[in-house]
Structure formats: structure tokens, C-alpha cells
Amino acid sequence: METKTSKATFLLRAGNLKEALSIFRTFRIGFTKEERRTLQIASESLSGNSLFYQQLGIDTNKEIEKSKSILASKYL
């Protein structure tokens, strides 16, 4: 049986960050509140809503890079 974690980890290793983030952002356990927010912003930015966050003054590229390092440290 394939779990959400194994599927998301497989997608992350395959280089499909957008799909992996769409799964990881739903996790409540294993991430701090700030890490969950970073994953959410990165996921939505990759899905085409980056302009909204940029209007709020959030550097979406920085959030995407932070999400990569968070996921790499925990799952790779």
C-alpha cells in the first residue's frame, strides 16, 4: 500500500516539486507552523498564484528555495 509520504517522497526525488508540495502541504505532523506556511506559499506560487504573494511583499523565489531545503532535510 502506497502512503502519502511515500508518494510525495517519490515525486520529490523525481524532481516534481510542484506535485510533491501539493501533498506535503497537507501534512500537519512533522512540520512547524512556519514550515507549513512556507510549504503552502511555495506550493501556491508554483501553481500560478505567485503574484498574489508578491503583492503582499513575500519573496516567492525565496519561499520555494526554503521549501526545498525543508523537504530535503526531512525526506532526502
Side-chain angles (χ1 to χ4, degrees), residues 41 44-55 58 60:
I41 292 170
E44 291 181 13
S45 294
L46 290 173
S47 296
N49 294 330
S50 61
L51 184 59
F52 170 74
Y53 288 104
Q54 290 171 354
Q55 289 174 344
I58 296 172
T60 56

Side-chain angles (χ1 to χ4, degrees), residues 26-67:
T26 64
F27 289 11
R28 296 195 183 272
I29 298 173
F31 296 110
T32 65
K33 185 177 180 179
E34 292 80 20
E35 289 173 337
R36 285 196 317 264
R37 175 129 170 89
T38 296
L39 295 178
Q40 177 185 5
I41 292 170
S43 176
E44 291 181 13
S45 294
L46 290 173
S47 296
N49 294 330
S50 61
L51 184 59
F52 170 74
Y53 288 104
Q54 290 171 354
Q55 289 174 344
L56 295 176
I58 296 172
D59 184 358
T60 56
N61 292 325
K62 181 179 169 186
E63 295 296 315
I64 292 169
E65 291 304 316
K66 277 176 38 180
S67 71

